[in-house]
Amino acid sequence: MAPPSVTSSQKSNAHGNNAALEQRIGLATSVIMPLLELGAMGFVSWVLVFLIGVQYLIDPSEDLRLGFNVQPRRGTGIALIIVYAILLLLLLVPWLRLLQVIWSKQDLVPLGDPSREKMDMSTKAFDKYDAFICDFEGMPLWCNKCHNFKPDRTHHCKELGRCVRKMDHYCPWAGGIIAESTHKFFLQFVFFAALYTAYVWIVVAVFFGDRISKVGSRPGTWIGALAVTAVFFVFTFTMTGMTGWNLMINFTSVEGIQRGGIHNIAFLISRSSREPISPPTSSPRSRKERKSSDFEEDWPVLCTVQRGAGRTSVVMQTKTLEHPWYTTLMTGWKDTMGNSFIDWILPFRQSPCKQRSHRGEFEWGEVVYDMAKKYEADNPGTRLALLEGER
Ligand SMILES: [Zn+2]
């Protein structure tokens, strides 16, 4: 009988091999899929620009002109090709930007030291925040594959074998990971891909009908272009709708799958808590005192944690279906897509949600502020750092 230590090391080797295989497959598909798509774009370009634009509209063959009365329609052919070129450019620019950001790997969380465990690691990186997502003991969340703490909304991606900030999903079709820095460009990519495929499908369908009535033939290449663009249109149109909605409600796909899960949040207790509170009349910014009964909700307080010199946090828990980053649909949209229409369309500026503040890794939603206010109301004299800016 094999000793248990051998069995467990074999198991961990097998697990390591599986993980390595998954990563290789992930990487390979994220190269193969974009190449297939480029091939498909080359094919539909040939059908629309050459077979339809040039050979059917601008310069029909003698056979078509004399035999079937297909007259040259130069203006139509040129206009269709120009619009096609513009749409192709609008699709390629966000896609290239998306690939550039994916390859720059800016959303990957650095790996920790594999010889160190959670309790040996410093949580200093989280000290700068007024609140962060934590476990039941008030520690930041830990990834035991990367041996490092996870910033809020980080998820471990099995295709990359790395923790990824605000991970949405791994998308071999787009060429890699969709996360904090790529979500905006991904939405632009799928939106313009839907527009591009819809245009190609409509143009091919119209002249396919025209050709059947005049010539009576149904070229296989034209049918192929209709089939390819129909499939990609359904796919990209659906992704546009789903991604846009998720951005507005400020959910990543990972958070959408975990919807209903609770979050523990560590709120830093302000150092000013124990200092005498100045009379309300002396300060124009004095806060409206709130009573516990002002709040309908009651959030569980799990524990109070002392960390480092004078840093105390209180850990509270959200309720099911409460999302800590939801505010309004427009705020959610702007948080990723940018503050102006130009930002929504052009794939150059990064998402506003990448800007950090002392309040947290990401801007908190209403529910988190309500939790903090409720805690203060229940504990007169205690001040939470998160609410300090509000006073
Ligand atoms: Zn990880």
Side-chain angles (χ1 to χ4, degrees):
M1 198 173 82
S5 61
V6 174
T7 315
S8 71
S9 92
Q10 279 172 339
K11 260 189 197 168
S12 97
N13 275 346
H15 186 263
N17 289 341
N18 280 347
L21 182 67
E22 258 176 324
Q23 286 166 31
R24 275 203 294 272
I25 293 171
L27 188 66
T29 49
S30 70
V31 174
I32 294 166
M33 295 299 194
L35 288 176
L36 285 177
E37 287 155 18
L38 282 173
M41 283 159 74
F43 168 68
V44 299
S45 295
W46 173 64
V47 172
L48 190 140
V49 175
F50 186 67
L51 298 185
I52 296 177
V54 176
Q55 284 197 332
Y56 190 70
L57 294 172
I58 296 174
D59 187 23
S61 65
E62 216 173 73
D63 190 28
L64 283 174
R65 268 185 282 145
L66 303 177
F68 301 99
N69 194 27
V70 177
Q71 294 309 314
R73 282 168 279 181
R74 278 206 184 86
T76 312
I78 291 168
L80 288 176
I81 292 170
I82 290 172
V83 174
Y84 176 79
I86 292 169
L87 289 173
L88 184 63
L89 190 71
L90 285 173
L91 167 61
L92 288 177
V93 171
W95 197 14
L96 288 174
R97 175 76 164 129
L98 176 63
L99 290 171
Q100 179 249 323
V101 181
I102 287 174
W103 292 333
S104 73
K105 300 184 176 180
Q106 48 190 284
D107 292 335
L108 301 194
V109 175
L111 290 170
D113 178 350
S115 66
R116 299 179 77 183
E117 283 309 315
K118 182 177 175 182
M119 299 317 281
D120 314 327
M121 296 283 283
S122 162
T123 57
K124 213 171 166 32
F126 293 79
D127 285 353
K128 58 180 176 286
Y129 296 131
D130 296 343
F132 62 85
I133 298 293
C134 64
D135 63 14
F136 284 81
E137 277 86 43
M139 291 284 279
L141 301 183
W142 174 257
C143 176
N144 54 19
K145 298 185 187 87
C146 297
H147 293 271
N148 208 351
F149 289 111
K150 295 155 89 167
D152 295 0
R153 313 188 77 176
T154 292
H155 186 75
H156 185 85
C157 171
K158 65 179 193 306
E159 284 89 352
L160 295 176
R162 290 286 292 273
C163 274
V164 179
R165 295 177 55 84
K166 203 175 176 230
M167 173 171 157
D168 192 79
H169 69 293
Y170 187 81
C171 183
W173 298 94
I177 189 74
I178 307 307
E180 184 179 36
S181 309
T182 43
H183 219 161
K184 168 178 166 170
F185 308 132
F186 175 73
L187 178 60
Q188 291 169 336
F189 165 62
V190 287
F191 170 75
F192 286 114
L195 209 62
Y196 166 87
T197 47
Y199 174 78
V200 175
W201 193 89
I202 290 168
V203 170
V204 177
V206 166
F207 292 101
F208 189 64
D210 185 82
R211 189 176 175 126
I212 291 172
S213 66
K214 286 184 179 152
V215 186
S217 70
R218 295 175 171 80
T221 45
W222 296 29
I223 296 172
L226 285 174
V228 168
T229 47
V231 169
F232 277 101
F233 172 75
V234 170
F235 189 56
T236 51
F237 182 77
T238 311
M239 280 311 284
T240 304
M242 277 168 49
T243 307
W245 176 246
N246 274 349
L247 290 186
M248 286 195 271
I249 58 172
N250 209 343
F251 270 80
T252 63
S253 299
V254 174
E255 290 160 354
I257 292 164
Q258 296 166 344
R259 190 185 296 247
I262 47 126
H263 290 87
N264 298 330
I265 304 173
F267 294 89
L268 179 66
I269 294 177
S270 166
R271 285 169 202 269
S272 66
S273 289
R274 281 173 217 94
E275 288 166 12
I277 300 159
S278 51
T281 47
S282 71
S283 160
R285 292 172 67 206
S286 72
R287 176 179 78 107
K288 181 174 154 256
E289 286 297 332
R290 299 185 73 160
K291 294 191 295 292
S292 183
S293 54
D294 289 351
F295 297 91
E296 285 176 17
E297 299 279 344
D298 192 16
W299 293 275
V301 177
L302 302 182
C303 57
T304 309
V305 190
Q306 188 94 41
R307 198 174 25 245
R311 296 186 68 85
T312 309
S313 297
V314 57
V315 178
M316 292 179 82
Q317 191 172 68
T318 62
K319 295 183 171 175
T320 33
L321 300 176
E322 281 177 344
H323 187 57
W325 300 280
Y326 174 72
T327 39
T328 62
L329 296 181
M330 196 50 160
T331 313
W333 172 261
K334 285 182 171 177
D335 210 25
T336 299
M337 296 308 291
N339 291 314
S340 70
F341 182 73
I342 295 291
D343 279 343
W344 303 351
I345 295 293
L346 295 182
F348 302 116
R349 284 239 285 262
Q350 283 277 5
S351 301
C353 70
K354 290 196 68 175
Q355 290 157 10
R356 307 283 160 240
S357 88
H358 62 86
R359 289 185 293 276
E361 195 74 44
F362 294 93
E363 187 50 75
W364 297 105
E366 307 289 308
V367 67
V368 177
Y369 286 95
D370 281 351
M371 288 166 81
K373 286 173 189 163
K374 164 78 174 159
Y375 182 81
E376 284 193 357
D378 285 343
N379 298 273
T382 306
R383 297 286 176 255
L384 296 183
L386 183 65
L387 297 179
E388 294 220 297
E390 294 213 321
R391 293 184 188 110

Coordinates of all heavy atoms in Angstrom, one line a residue, residues 47-107:
V47 N -16.2 38.5 -50.8 CA -17.6 38.3 -51.3 C -18.2 39.7 -51.6 O -18.7 40.0 -52.6 CB -18.5 37.5 -50.4 CG1 -19.9 37.5 -50.9 CG2 -18.0 36.0 -50.4
L48 N -18.1 40.6 -50.5 CA -18.9 41.8 -50.6 C -18.1 42.8 -51.5 O -18.8 43.4 -52.4 CB -19.0 42.5 -49.2 CG -20.0 43.7 -49.2 CD1 -20.8 43.6 -47.9 CD2 -19.2 45.0 -49.3
V49 N -16.8 42.9 -51.4 CA -16.1 44.0 -52.2 C -15.9 43.5 -53.6 O -16.2 44.2 -54.6 CB -14.8 44.3 -51.5 CG1 -14.0 45.3 -52.4 CG2 -15.0 44.9 -50.1
F50 N -15.4 42.3 -53.8 CA -15.0 41.8 -55.1 C -16.2 41.2 -55.9 O -16.6 41.7 -57.0 CB -13.8 40.9 -55.1 CG -13.3 40.5 -56.4 CD1 -12.7 41.5 -57.2 CD2 -13.5 39.2 -56.9 CE1 -12.2 41.1 -58.5 CE2 -13.0 38.9 -58.2 CZ -12.4 39.9 -59.0
L51 N -16.8 40.1 -55.3 CA -17.8 39.4 -56.1 C -19.1 40.3 -56.3 O -19.6 40.3 -57.4 CB -18.2 38.1 -55.3 CG -17.1 37.1 -55.2 CD1 -17.6 35.8 -54.6 CD2 -16.4 36.8 -56.5
I52 N -19.5 41.0 -55.2 CA -20.7 41.8 -55.3 C -20.4 43.2 -55.8 O -20.9 43.7 -56.8 CB -21.5 41.9 -54.0 CG1 -22.0 40.4 -53.7 CG2 -22.7 42.8 -54.1 CD1 -22.7 40.3 -52.4
G53 N -19.5 43.9 -55.1 CA -19.2 45.3 -55.4 C -18.6 45.5 -56.8 O -19.1 46.3 -57.6
V54 N -17.6 44.7 -57.1 CA -16.9 44.9 -58.4 C -17.5 44.1 -59.5 O -18.0 44.6 -60.5 CB -15.4 44.6 -58.3 CG1 -14.7 44.7 -59.6 CG2 -14.7 45.5 -57.2
Q55 N -17.6 42.8 -59.3 CA -18.0 41.9 -60.4 C -19.5 41.9 -60.7 O -20.0 41.6 -61.8 CB -17.6 40.5 -60.1 CG -16.1 40.2 -60.3 CD -15.8 38.7 -60.4 OE1 -16.6 37.9 -59.9 NE2 -14.8 38.4 -61.1
Y56 N -20.4 42.3 -59.7 CA -21.8 42.3 -60.0 C -22.3 43.7 -60.2 O -23.2 43.9 -61.0 CB -22.5 41.6 -58.8 CG -24.0 41.4 -59.1 CD1 -24.4 40.4 -60.0 CD2 -25.0 42.1 -58.4 CE1 -25.7 40.2 -60.3 CE2 -26.4 41.9 -58.7 CZ -26.7 40.9 -59.6 OH -28.0 40.7 -59.9
L57 N -21.8 44.7 -59.4 CA -22.3 46.1 -59.5 C -21.5 47.0 -60.4 O -22.0 47.6 -61.3 CB -22.5 46.7 -58.1 CG -23.5 46.0 -57.2 CD1 -23.4 46.5 -55.8 CD2 -24.9 46.1 -57.8
I58 N -20.2 47.2 -60.1 CA -19.4 48.2 -60.8 C -19.1 47.7 -62.3 O -19.3 48.5 -63.2 CB -18.1 48.5 -60.0 CG1 -18.4 49.1 -58.7 CG2 -17.2 49.4 -60.8 CD1 -17.2 49.3 -57.8
D59 N -18.7 46.5 -62.4 CA -18.3 46.1 -63.8 C -18.8 44.7 -64.1 O -18.0 43.7 -64.1 CB -16.7 46.1 -63.8 CG -16.2 45.9 -65.2 OD1 -17.0 46.1 -66.2 OD2 -15.0 45.5 -65.3
P60 N -20.1 44.5 -64.3 CA -20.6 43.1 -64.6 C -20.0 42.6 -65.9 O -19.7 43.4 -66.8 CB -22.1 43.3 -64.7 CG -22.4 44.8 -64.5 CD -21.1 45.5 -64.4
S61 N -19.8 41.3 -66.0 CA -19.2 40.7 -67.2 C -20.1 40.9 -68.4 O -21.3 41.1 -68.2 CB -18.9 39.2 -66.9 OG -20.2 38.6 -66.7
E62 N -19.6 40.7 -69.5 CA -20.4 40.8 -70.8 C -21.5 39.8 -70.8 O -22.7 40.1 -71.2 CB -19.4 40.5 -72.0 CG -19.8 41.3 -73.2 CD -18.7 41.1 -74.3 OE1 -18.8 40.0 -74.9 OE2 -17.9 42.0 -74.4
D63 N -21.2 38.6 -70.2 CA -22.2 37.6 -70.1 C -23.4 38.0 -69.3 O -24.6 37.9 -69.7 CB -21.5 36.4 -69.4 CG -22.4 35.1 -69.5 OD1 -23.1 35.0 -70.4 OD2 -22.2 34.3 -68.5
L64 N -23.1 38.7 -68.1 CA -24.2 39.2 -67.3 C -24.9 40.3 -67.9 O -26.2 40.4 -67.9 CB -23.6 39.6 -65.9 CG -23.2 38.6 -64.9 CD1 -22.6 39.2 -63.7 CD2 -24.4 37.8 -64.4
R65 N -24.2 41.2 -68.6 CA -24.8 42.4 -69.2 C -25.7 42.0 -70.4 O -26.9 42.4 -70.5 CB -23.7 43.4 -69.6 CG -23.4 44.4 -68.6 CD -22.5 45.5 -69.0 NE -21.1 44.9 -69.1 CZ -20.2 45.3 -70.0 NH1 -20.5 46.1 -70.9 NH2 -19.0 44.7 -69.9
L66 N -25.2 41.2 -71.3 CA -25.9 40.9 -72.5 C -26.9 39.8 -72.3 O -28.0 39.8 -72.7 CB -24.9 40.6 -73.6 CG -23.9 41.7 -73.9 CD1 -22.9 41.2 -75.0 CD2 -24.6 42.9 -74.4
G67 N -26.5 38.7 -71.5 CA -27.3 37.6 -71.3 C -28.4 37.8 -70.3 O -29.5 37.2 -70.5
F68 N -28.2 38.6 -69.3 CA -29.2 38.7 -68.2 C -29.6 40.1 -67.9 O -30.3 40.4 -66.9 CB -28.7 38.0 -66.9 CG -28.3 36.6 -67.1 CD1 -27.0 36.2 -67.3 CD2 -29.3 35.6 -67.1 CE1 -26.7 34.8 -67.5 CE2 -29.0 34.3 -67.2 CZ -27.7 33.9 -67.5
N69 N -29.2 41.0 -68.7 CA -29.5 42.5 -68.5 C -29.1 43.0 -67.1 O -29.9 43.7 -66.5 CB -31.0 42.7 -68.8 CG -31.3 44.2 -68.9 OD1 -30.4 44.9 -69.4 ND2 -32.5 44.6 -68.6
V70 N -27.9 42.6 -66.6 CA -27.4 43.1 -65.4 C -26.5 44.3 -65.8 O -25.4 44.2 -66.3 CB -26.6 42.1 -64.6 CG1 -26.0 42.7 -63.3 CG2 -27.4 40.9 -64.2
Q71 N -27.1 45.6 -65.6 CA -26.4 46.8 -66.0 C -25.4 47.2 -64.9 O -25.7 47.0 -63.7 CB -27.4 47.9 -66.3 CG -28.2 47.6 -67.5 CD -27.4 47.2 -68.7 OE1 -26.4 47.8 -69.1 NE2 -27.9 46.1 -69.4
P72 N -24.3 47.9 -65.2 CA -23.4 48.4 -64.2 C -24.1 49.4 -63.3 O -24.9 50.3 -63.8 CB -22.3 49.1 -65.0 CG -22.4 48.6 -66.4 CD -23.8 48.2 -66.6
R73 N -23.9 49.3 -62.0 CA -24.4 50.3 -61.0 C -23.2 50.8 -60.2 O -23.0 50.4 -59.1 CB -25.5 49.6 -60.1 CG -26.8 49.4 -60.8 CD -27.7 48.5 -60.0 NE -27.5 47.1 -60.2 CZ -28.2 46.1 -59.7 NH1 -29.2 46.4 -58.9 NH2 -27.8 44.9 -60.0
R74 N -22.4 51.6 -60.8 CA -21.1 52.1 -60.2 C -21.3 52.8 -58.9 O -20.6 52.5 -57.9 CB -20.4 53.0 -61.2 CG -19.7 52.2 -62.3 CD -18.5 53.0 -62.8 NE -17.9 52.2 -63.9 CZ -18.4 52.2 -65.2 NH1 -19.3 53.0 -65.5 NH2 -17.9 51.4 -66.1
G75 N -22.2 53.8 -58.9 CA -22.4 54.6 -57.6 C -22.7 53.7 -56.5 O -22.2 53.8 -55.4
T76 N -23.7 52.7 -56.7 CA -24.1 51.8 -55.6 C -22.9 51.0 -55.2 O -22.7 50.9 -54.0 CB -25.2 50.9 -56.1 OG1 -26.2 51.7 -56.8 CG2 -25.9 50.1 -55.0
G77 N -22.2 50.4 -56.1 CA -21.1 49.6 -55.8 C -20.0 50.3 -55.0 O -19.6 49.8 -53.9
I78 N -19.7 51.5 -55.4 CA -18.6 52.3 -54.7 C -19.1 52.7 -53.3 O -18.4 52.5 -52.3 CB -18.2 53.5 -55.5 CG1 -17.5 53.1 -56.8 CG2 -17.4 54.5 -54.7 CD1 -17.3 54.2 -57.8
A79 N -20.4 53.1 -53.2 CA -20.9 53.5 -51.9 C -20.9 52.3 -50.9 O -20.5 52.5 -49.7 CB -22.3 54.1 -52.0
L80 N -21.3 51.2 -51.4 CA -21.3 50.0 -50.5 C -19.9 49.6 -50.0 O -19.8 49.3 -48.9 CB -21.9 48.8 -51.3 CG -23.4 48.9 -51.5 CD1 -23.9 47.7 -52.4 CD2 -24.2 48.9 -50.2
I81 N -19.0 49.8 -50.9 CA -17.6 49.4 -50.6 C -17.0 50.4 -49.5 O -16.3 50.0 -48.6 CB -16.7 49.3 -51.8 CG1 -17.1 48.1 -52.6 CG2 -15.2 49.2 -51.4 CD1 -16.5 48.0 -54.0
I82 N -17.4 51.7 -49.7 CA -16.8 52.7 -48.8 C -17.4 52.5 -47.4 O -16.7 52.5 -46.4 CB -17.2 54.2 -49.3 CG1 -16.3 54.5 -50.6 CG2 -16.9 55.2 -48.2 CD1 -16.6 55.7 -51.3
V83 N -18.8 52.3 -47.3 CA -19.4 52.1 -46.0 C -18.8 50.8 -45.4 O -18.5 50.8 -44.2 CB -20.9 51.9 -46.2 CG1 -21.6 51.5 -44.8 CG2 -21.5 53.2 -46.7
Y84 N -18.6 49.8 -46.2 CA -18.0 48.5 -45.7 C -16.6 48.8 -45.1 O -16.3 48.4 -44.0 CB -17.8 47.5 -46.8 CG -17.1 46.3 -46.3 CD1 -17.8 45.3 -45.6 CD2 -15.8 46.0 -46.6 CE1 -17.2 44.2 -45.1 CE2 -15.1 44.9 -46.1 CZ -15.8 44.0 -45.4 OH -15.2 42.9 -44.9
A85 N -15.8 49.6 -45.8 CA -14.4 49.9 -45.3 C -14.5 50.7 -44.0 O -13.7 50.4 -43.1 CB -13.7 50.7 -46.4
I86 N -15.4 51.6 -43.9 CA -15.6 52.4 -42.6 C -15.9 51.4 -41.4 O -15.3 51.5 -40.4 CB -16.6 53.5 -42.8 CG1 -16.1 54.5 -43.7 CG2 -17.0 54.1 -41.4 CD1 -17.1 55.6 -44.2
L87 N -16.9 50.5 -41.7 CA -17.3 49.6 -40.6 C -16.2 48.6 -40.3 O -16.1 48.3 -39.1 CB -18.6 48.8 -41.1 CG -19.9 49.7 -41.1 CD1 -21.0 48.9 -41.7 CD2 -20.3 50.2 -39.7
L88 N -15.5 48.2 -41.3 CA -14.3 47.3 -41.0 C -13.3 48.0 -40.1 O -12.8 47.4 -39.1 CB -13.7 46.9 -42.3 CG -12.6 45.9 -42.2 CD1 -13.1 44.5 -41.6 CD2 -11.9 45.6 -43.6
L89 N -13.1 49.3 -40.4 CA -12.1 50.1 -39.6 C -12.6 50.2 -38.2 O -11.9 50.1 -37.2 CB -11.9 51.4 -40.2 CG -10.8 52.3 -39.7 CD1 -9.4 51.7 -40.1 CD2 -10.9 53.7 -40.2
L90 N -13.9 50.6 -38.0 CA -14.5 50.7 -36.7 C -14.5 49.5 -35.9 O -14.5 49.5 -34.7 CB -16.0 51.2 -36.9 CG -16.2 52.6 -37.3 CD1 -17.7 52.9 -37.5 CD2 -15.7 53.6 -36.2
L91 N -14.4 48.3 -36.5 CA -14.3 47.0 -35.8 C -12.9 46.7 -35.5 O -12.6 46.3 -34.4 CB -14.9 45.9 -36.7 CG -14.6 44.5 -36.3 CD1 -15.2 44.2 -34.9 CD2 -15.2 43.5 -37.3
L92 N -12.0 47.0 -36.4 CA -10.6 46.6 -36.2 C -9.9 47.5 -35.1 O -9.0 47.0 -34.4 CB -9.8 46.7 -37.5 CG -10.1 45.6 -38.5 CD1 -9.3 45.8 -39.8 CD2 -9.8 44.2 -37.9
V93 N -10.2 48.8 -35.1 CA -9.6 49.7 -34.1 C -9.8 49.2 -32.7 O -8.9 49.0 -31.9 CB -9.9 51.1 -34.4 CG1 -9.4 52.0 -33.3 CG2 -9.3 51.6 -35.7
P94 N -11.1 49.0 -32.2 CA -11.2 48.5 -30.8 C -10.7 47.2 -30.6 O -10.2 46.8 -29.5 CB -12.8 48.5 -30.6 CG -13.4 48.7 -31.9 CD -12.4 49.3 -32.9
W95 N -10.7 46.3 -31.7 CA -10.1 45.0 -31.5 C -8.6 45.0 -31.2 O -8.1 44.4 -30.4 CB -10.5 44.1 -32.7 CG -10.3 42.6 -32.4 CD1 -10.2 42.1 -31.2 CD2 -10.3 41.6 -33.3 NE1 -10.0 40.7 -31.3 CE2 -10.1 40.4 -32.6 CE3 -10.4 41.5 -34.7 CZ2 -10.0 39.1 -33.2 CZ3 -10.3 40.3 -35.4 CH2 -10.1 39.1 -34.6
L96 N -7.9 45.8 -32.0 CA -6.5 46.0 -31.9 C -6.2 46.6 -30.5 O -5.2 46.2 -29.8 CB -5.9 46.8 -33.0 CG -5.8 46.1 -34.3 CD1 -5.3 47.1 -35.4 CD2 -4.9 44.9 -34.3
R97 N -7.0 47.6 -30.1 CA -6.8 48.2 -28.8 C -7.0 47.1 -27.7 O -6.2 47.0 -26.7 CB -7.7 49.3 -28.6 CG -7.7 50.0 -27.2 CD -6.5 50.9 -27.1 NE -6.7 51.8 -25.9 CZ -5.8 51.9 -25.0 NH1 -4.6 51.2 -25.0 NH2 -6.0 52.7 -24.0
L98 N -8.0 46.3 -27.8 CA -8.3 45.3 -26.9 C -7.2 44.3 -26.8 O -6.7 44.0 -25.7 CB -9.6 44.5 -27.4 CG -10.1 43.3 -26.6 CD1 -10.4 43.7 -25.1 CD2 -11.3 42.7 -27.2
L99 N -6.6 43.9 -27.9 CA -5.5 42.9 -27.9 C -4.3 43.5 -27.3 O -3.5 42.9 -26.6 CB -5.2 42.4 -29.4 CG -6.3 41.5 -30.0 CD1 -6.0 41.3 -31.4 CD2 -6.3 40.2 -29.2
Q100 N -4.1 44.8 -27.6 CA -2.9 45.5 -27.0 C -3.0 45.5 -25.5 O -2.0 45.2 -24.8 CB -2.8 46.9 -27.6 CG -1.7 47.8 -27.1 CD -2.1 48.9 -26.2 OE1 -3.2 49.5 -26.4 NE2 -1.4 49.1 -25.1
V101 N -4.2 45.8 -24.9 CA -4.3 45.8 -23.5 C -4.2 44.4 -22.9 O -3.6 44.2 -21.8 CB -5.6 46.6 -23.1 CG1 -5.7 46.6 -21.6 CG2 -5.6 48.0 -23.6
I102 N -4.8 43.4 -23.6 CA -4.7 42.0 -23.1 C -3.3 41.6 -23.0 O -2.8 41.1 -22.0 CB -5.5 41.1 -24.1 CG1 -7.0 41.3 -23.9 CG2 -5.1 39.6 -23.8 CD1 -7.9 40.5 -24.9
W103 N -2.5 41.9 -24.1 CA -1.1 41.5 -24.1 C -0.2 42.2 -23.1 O 0.8 41.8 -22.7 CB -0.5 41.6 -25.5 CG -1.2 40.6 -26.5 CD1 -1.7 39.4 -26.1 CD2 -1.3 40.7 -27.9 NE1 -2.2 38.7 -27.2 CE2 -2.0 39.5 -28.3 CE3 -1.0 41.7 -28.8 CZ2 -2.3 39.3 -29.7 CZ3 -1.3 41.4 -30.1 CH2 -1.9 40.3 -30.6
S104 N -0.7 43.4 -22.7 CA 0.1 44.2 -21.7 C -0.1 43.6 -20.3 O 0.6 44.0 -19.4 CB -0.2 45.7 -21.8 OG -1.5 45.9 -21.2
K105 N -1.1 42.7 -20.2 CA -1.3 42.0 -18.9 C -1.4 42.9 -17.7 O -1.0 42.5 -16.6 CB -0.1 41.0 -18.7 CG 0.0 40.0 -19.8 CD 1.1 39.0 -19.5 CE 1.1 37.9 -20.6 NZ 2.0 36.9 -20.4
Q106 N -2.0 44.1 -17.8 CA -2.1 45.0 -16.7 C -3.1 44.6 -15.6 O -3.0 45.2 -14.5 CB -2.3 46.4 -17.2 CG -3.4 46.6 -18.2 CD -3.4 48.0 -18.8 OE1 -3.8 48.9 -18.1 NE2 -2.9 48.1 -20.0
D107 N -4.0 43.6 -15.9 CA -4.9 43.3 -14.9 C -4.5 42.1 -14.0 O -5.2 41.7 -13.1 CB -6.3 43.0 -15.5 CG -6.9 44.2 -16.1 OD1 -6.6 45.3 -15.6 OD2 -7.7 44.1 -17.0

